[in-house]
Amino acid sequence: MEKSILTDNWDVCYFCHGPKQHVHHIMNSANKKKSEKYGLLIPVCFKCHAQIHDNSTQKELNMLAVRRIGQKKFEELYSRELWMKEFGKNYL
């Protein structure tokens, strides 16, 4: 089972609280393994997952907003210095 620093509830979508259908890596592509290492994972439904990846609109639920949520929690647990070392970009 995946671990998350953002939630303990893997049964429902992090955003709408509907049924979980997917695990979203907050930092993807080259940083996917680091997302897993640091628990930067959230359960999402397909609709919210699609919204995260739809950067054509400025919503609260898009990739930038999700990365801000992840970075904020990461820095509470670790530090901005470690965030910058691992991910190299400040989203806050």
Side-chain angles (χ1 to χ4, degrees), residues 44-91:
V44 292
C45 68
F46 291 138
K47 180 180 177 185
C48 289
H49 191 242
Q51 286 181 309
I52 290 169
H53 288 280
D54 178 7
N55 291 319
S56 64
T57 59
Q58 294 296 321
K59 301 177 194 167
E60 286 185 10
L61 183 56
N62 64 23
M63 190 69 74
L64 178 58
V66 171
R67 287 185 176 164
R68 285 179 176 152
I69 292 166
Q71 181 179 349
K72 183 177 179 197
K73 184 62 174 181
F74 182 96
E75 289 182 7
E76 288 173 12
L77 297 172
Y78 302 104
S79 68
R80 176 158 298 174
E81 179 181 47
L82 182 58
W83 175 270
M84 293 304 292
K85 178 182 175 200
E86 293 289 354
F87 301 106
K89 185 172 180 183
N90 182 4
Y91 295 95

Side-chain angles (χ1 to χ4, degrees), residues 25-43:
H25 291 71
I26 290 176
M27 302 302 290
N28 55 8
S29 301
N31 290 314
K32 191 173 183 175
K33 292 284 186 197
K34 289 180 185 179
S35 275
E36 294 168 0
K37 175 182 176 181
Y38 290 109
L40 293 167
L41 306 168
I42 51 174

